[in-house]
Amino acid sequence: MSDPKSDTLTEAQLAVHWKEESYYYPPASFIAQANMTDGGILERFGEKNFPECYKEYADLLTWYKYWEKTLDTSNPPFWKWFVGGELNASYNCVDRHLAENRNKTAIHFVPEPENEHIQHITYQELWVRVNEFAALLRDFCGLKRGDRVTLHLPMTAELPITMLACARLGVIHSQVFSGFSGQACGERVADSGSRVLITADSYYRSGILLDHKKLADIAFDKAKEEKVVLEKVLVWQRHPGKYSAQTPLVQGRDFVVNDLLPKYRGQRVEPERMKATDPLFLMYTSGSTGRPKACQHSTGGYLSYVAGTSRIIQDIHPTDVYWCMADIGWITGHSYIVYGPLALGASTVMYEGVPNYPDAGRPWRIAEELGVNIFHTSPTAIRALRRAGPDEPKKYHYHFKHMTTVGEPIEPEVWRWYYNVVGKGEAAIVDTWWQTENGGFLCSTIPALAPMKPGSAGPGVPGIYPIVYDDDGKEVPAGAGKAGNICIRNPWPGLMQTIWGDPDRMTAVYFERYCKNKKSKDWHDWPYFAGDGAVHAADGYFRILGRIDDVINVAGHRLGTKEIESAALTVPEVAEAAVVAVPDEIKGRVPELYVSLKPGVTGDEALARRISKAIETEISPIARPRKVWIVPDMPKTRSGKIMRRVLGALSTGGNAGDITTLANPDVVEKIRDLVSRG
Ligand code: PRX
């Protein structure tokens, strides 16, 4: 185990010495058109109107039946929202827009190859495609309400079409990021108990058409090892009519969707009347212990929350062209590429490839061509685009009214480039802090109502009451200049309902730490523990410092140190493994791995490469360590605990602190020597 206390301390010290930034005010042109200019919202969503305030979000949706109870707290911390209400997410994101906006673009799909045409999928076409695919899922696969289906789909239009087809039937989708390995996908198939896997033959990344179908074969075997046998694997073709993977199809198990679809032409599927409390999807994420866990998100609460925050914080109007450059394989994409924007009837852009392919001007060409006016991305992408083409944005005639940053802390200097160069000084920026577990934004400024402060997310969004606690459960008040653990005092509709198959973990990880009374059914006794360090400034803004647990945020992707370590331990020569997070100019943080070997084994570059490869195979290339250090022994406490803090200091050239209490202090010098030689 790492020592979270000492990690927090370092971050806290850093934060306290961090200069307070000055405000930037939203442009008048933005305010003039903004969805939310009424300061009364803060009072409407204040504690005395809680939880009924959330009706304002739920009323953005079309309900078959209104709810009877807004919030049921009878089984803490498994809160239930909009109890008794009925709705369908697919209906809300597609059907209901037909009357007025049938011919409007719902999804602009931008292929990575620049010579391939952009697809503009109207709401009408989306409706047809979702219906036909839903009919296929129902009739060919026998899928029905409550079944789980794993999706391992890349960023093409078939991904949201598949999600919405599942939602239409009440089938719970579980999309696994396409960059995850076949093994990682197989584990998630098994954990969710999926009978069907939906994948694609191939997709483009950095100019290469990748064989994606081969990962399905690995996923199938991995799930089988875990006693879950997939009945069918559905394969979408990247180029309809042409199978473009090298890996052959498995007879009787793999089916090409594009070949099957003609049978369902013209079919329409009545959307299922789902309960507000029925699950809509699962999304896996990494935690401190064990394997990734699936956050189960609800239909009514989740959809209300993402629609409400898309309107107020993202300022999405039905006339906007909105581009979030995340991958739909992450929660950001679910909430703010698919469900939020489509619930509001906007045009949402999805881009298949990497941002700087073939060059750093690509995003700005896309923005110009499509008339994108809302742009949403991560600090990692901003840093990379800035490094590769600091003057590129100037060359293009796009205009953003609004920009978002999400996923990691953004350095004020990077923020200013985003504001001045990408946004041309014309756009309001929101720095949105939240998590996979949360469904939607937790902290951010309301863009027309509050000034921006580079590097700070802002106060809690309407209806969210954050608080910073110290390790002893005492509140660290605003303006104290001290870091602590950020928590949310109240329930909110976007919060996951549970961890799929492991409700105890929900309680243990997020609520036990600061629960005031485990017997209480009053939500005030159950603050949600986010796992992030934060500083609460005197103006009420929160600056998020990063994880205080064993989670590393690499380029905005969440990875558990334990997951990477277990992957390293699959290499037979490895005796012990410890991961530390080190700063990286582009990715924010990257993992470095320390391993010690079994007796009698000597390490070399080839072994280090094999260890890296094992991590890619077990998890994904995004988890690949920047460096694998093969060390004679791990620095350990007398009780045998590996001191990751000491390793972290060695990796960054920092001060290893007091090492005299270690069981083997000598090894620290040996490792320092090794690391300094590179
Ligand atoms: O550490 C916080 C960081 O990302 C973590 C959540 O990661 P994930 O569940 O993958 O969701 C990412 C997208 C919502 C948080 O615990 N994080 C997220 N947003 C910010 C952030 N750190 C600083 N500033 C943010 N705006």
Side-chain angles (χ1 to χ4, degrees):
M1 285 284 287
S2 70
D3 184 348
K5 266 194 184 165
S6 43
D7 288 349
T8 317
L9 196 69
T10 328
E11 294 280 18
Q13 281 163 347
L14 266 175
V16 176
H17 293 110
W18 215 65
K19 174 167 122 339
E20 192 62 18
E21 293 287 327
S22 18
Y23 291 134
Y24 283 66
Y25 290 87
S29 55
F30 176 79
I31 299 173
Q33 61 77 62
N35 277 330
M36 187 47 64
T37 51
D38 168 14
I41 184 162
L42 295 172
E43 193 179 334
R44 290 204 303 282
F45 278 80
E47 222 172 313
K48 81 173 164 23
N49 296 321
F50 181 88
E52 301 307 324
C53 52
Y54 278 114
K55 181 171 186 300
E56 192 165 327
Y57 283 2
D59 275 343
L60 295 171
L61 305 179
T62 305
W63 295 75
Y64 296 124
K65 181 172 164 270
Y66 249 163
W67 56 96
E68 284 127 28
K69 194 168 172 81
T70 305
L71 173 64
D72 174 350
T73 63
S74 60
N75 182 26
F78 306 96
W79 318 122
K80 292 200 181 89
W81 283 90
F82 308 122
V83 181
E86 288 178 6
L87 76 168
N88 182 284
S90 180
Y91 178 86
N92 271 281
C93 292
V94 188
D95 305 43
R96 68 175 182 147
H97 304 311
L98 296 181
E100 285 181 19
N101 285 313
R102 194 178 289 277
N103 294 319
K104 184 188 160 178
T105 300
I107 298 172
H108 295 281
F109 165 61
V110 184
E112 193 191 69
E114 225 164 346
N115 58 4
E116 216 181 286
H117 283 297
I118 296 181
Q119 293 173 23
H120 309 281
I121 301 169
T122 61
Y123 274 97
Q124 171 73 12
E125 189 181 344
L126 182 62
W127 180 70
V128 168
R129 293 186 66 182
V130 166
N131 269 284
E132 291 178 353
F133 190 54
L136 186 157
L137 293 177
R138 182 190 60 192
D139 300 341
F140 182 70
C141 302
L143 289 168
K144 54 179 190 326
R145 200 178 166 120
D147 289 346
R148 278 83 55 211
V149 168
T150 298
L151 283 44
H152 196 202
L153 288 167
M155 282 290 282
T156 64
E158 285 71 22
L159 171 47
I161 288 168
T162 303
M163 289 162 64
L164 293 164
C166 289
R168 199 166 191 86
L169 298 170
V171 167
I172 305 168
H173 58 76
S174 167
Q175 156 71 7
V176 176
F177 171 52
S178 59
F180 273 143
S181 67
Q183 302 221 20
C185 176
E187 282 174 10
R188 288 155 175 79
V189 166
D191 185 77
S192 61
S194 296
R195 290 195 285 127
V196 174
L197 170 65
I198 306 176
T199 188
D201 57 354
S202 58
Y203 65 101
Y204 287 95
R205 192 137 187 99
S206 299
I208 296 165
L209 186 66
L210 299 177
D211 180 347
H212 189 59
K213 157 50 176 102
K214 72 173 182 212
L215 304 186
D217 294 357
I218 300 170
F220 181 90
D221 292 343
K222 180 74 190 171
K224 196 169 165 197
E225 239 175 63
E226 303 197 3
K227 312 274 181 293
V228 172
V229 179
L230 282 162
E231 287 168 17
K232 289 190 170 72
V233 176
L234 299 186
V235 186
W236 284 100
Q237 287 171 330
R238 170 63 180 79
H239 296 288
K242 179 170 162 244
Y243 182 69
S244 41
Q246 267 96 50
T247 311
L249 296 166
V250 175
Q251 277 290 318
R253 185 198 78 186
D254 297 352
F255 301 91
V256 171
V257 178
N258 308 70
D259 292 344
L260 299 171
L261 267 176
K263 285 193 213 111
Y264 300 90
R265 191 148 295 149
Q267 293 219 15
R268 303 292 175 253
V269 174
E270 197 50 39
E272 282 284 313
R273 285 174 71 123
M274 302 305 290
K275 286 196 252 161
T277 50
D278 281 333
L280 177 61
F281 67 87
L282 305 180
M283 168 68 61
Y284 283 82
T285 193
S286 299
S288 332
T289 50
R291 280 178 162 203
K293 50 187 184 248
C295 302
Q296 176 185 316
H297 284 286
S298 72
T299 306
Y302 170 82
L303 200 63
S304 301
Y305 198 71
V306 297
T309 49
S310 291
R311 199 178 115 74
I312 291 173
I313 308 295
Q314 292 298 102
D315 200 54
I316 296 178
H317 302 57
T319 45
D320 288 325
V321 182
Y322 166 87
W323 182 17
C324 170
M325 214 165 60
D327 193 295
I328 297 175
W330 307 107
I331 191 71
T332 302
H334 273 49
S335 300
Y336 298 113
I337 298 178
V338 181
Y339 285 115
L342 294 181
L344 297 182
S347 299
T348 188
V349 178
M350 51 184 298
Y351 170 55
E352 177 178 28
V354 295
N356 51 17
Y357 181 83
D359 57 69
R362 186 70 191 278
W364 323 128
R365 285 199 289 283
I366 293 172
E368 183 179 272
E369 175 160 355
L370 295 176
V372 172
N373 65 343
I374 308 181
F375 184 65
H376 185 157
T377 193
S378 65
T380 289
I382 302 168
R383 290 184 208 110
L385 289 165
R386 177 181 180 225
R387 182 148 90 177
D391 299 321
E392 283 299 305
K394 282 198 203 101
K395 299 183 192 160
Y396 300 95
H397 302 283
Y398 65 83
H399 294 280
F400 296 150
K401 66 165 188 177
H402 181 291
M403 304 194 301
T404 303
T405 158
V406 63
E408 322 146 56
I410 183 163
E411 300 79 1
E413 190 205 335
V414 176
W415 190 99
R416 277 189 277 273
W417 183 77
Y418 196 37
Y419 181 82
N420 290 319
V421 182
V422 176
K424 306 176 180 184
E426 302 168 335
I429 296 187
V430 291
D431 179 343
T432 57
W433 170 72
W434 59 298
Q435 311 171 300
T436 307
E437 294 86 341
N438 306 157
F441 305 144
L442 294 179
C443 283
S444 165
T445 49
I446 301 176
L449 286 174
M452 311 159 233
K453 190 160 75 171
S456 287
V461 298
I464 298 291
Y465 320 132
I467 186 164
V468 174
Y469 285 122
D470 68 14
D471 282 339
D472 305 320
K474 279 211 278 311
E475 180 177 356
V476 181
K482 276 201 208 121
N485 303 326
I486 187 165
C487 295
I488 309 299
R489 288 200 291 113
N490 60 304
W492 67 98
L495 177 64
M496 64 177 167
Q497 300 177 290
T498 187
I499 303 280
W500 178 261
D502 197 356
D504 293 346
R505 199 161 163 196
M506 164 94 166
T507 313
V509 175
Y510 305 98
F511 293 94
E512 230 145 56
R513 178 86 187 254
Y514 291 114
C515 181
K516 293 173 197 154
N517 172 6
K518 286 204 186 133
K519 297 219 169 77
S520 169
K521 296 195 189 307
D522 178 351
W523 62 259
H524 292 87
D525 291 322
W526 292 85
Y528 168 85
F529 172 67
D532 277 320
V535 176
H536 194 186
D539 59 6
Y541 283 37
F542 292 89
R543 180 167 131 67
I544 308 298
L545 306 171
R547 304 291 309 191
I548 53 171
D549 53 11
D550 296 332
V551 171
I552 312 184
N553 192 336
V554 183
H557 306 322
R558 239 167 100 164
L559 297 165
T561 50
K562 292 278 185 305
E563 278 170 74
I564 304 177
E565 289 162 8
S566 348
L569 288 165
T570 61
V571 175
E573 290 90 336
V574 176
E576 287 178 308
V579 166
V580 298
V582 297
D584 179 88
E585 208 186 313
I586 300 290
K587 296 180 176 173
R589 297 279 161 106
V590 288
E592 280 200 1
L593 177 71
Y594 286 82
V595 293
S596 65
L597 303 179
K598 291 191 181 142
V601 185
T602 40
D604 55 11
E605 270 306 306
L607 177 62
R609 272 198 301 277
R610 253 198 302 131
I611 297 170
S612 265
K613 190 76 204 152
I615 293 167
E616 279 180 44
T617 312
E618 293 276 324
I619 310 171
S620 159
I622 59 174
R624 188 193 304 130
R626 181 164 74 181
K627 183 83 196 163
V628 176
W629 301 108
I630 300 178
V631 298
D633 195 7
M634 296 286 183
K636 286 191 192 142
T637 60
R638 294 209 175 109
S639 57
K641 208 169 90 169
I642 299 176
M643 291 299 287
R644 286 181 179 71
R645 180 175 56 77
V646 172
L647 294 172
L650 295 175
S651 271
T652 54
N655 182 352
D658 181 10
I659 52 165
T660 52
T661 56
L662 294 189
N664 52 353
D666 304 351
V667 82
V668 176
E669 270 323 301
K670 287 192 197 144
I671 301 177
R672 195 197 301 281
D673 193 42
L674 198 96
V675 171
S676 66
R677 282 188 277 121

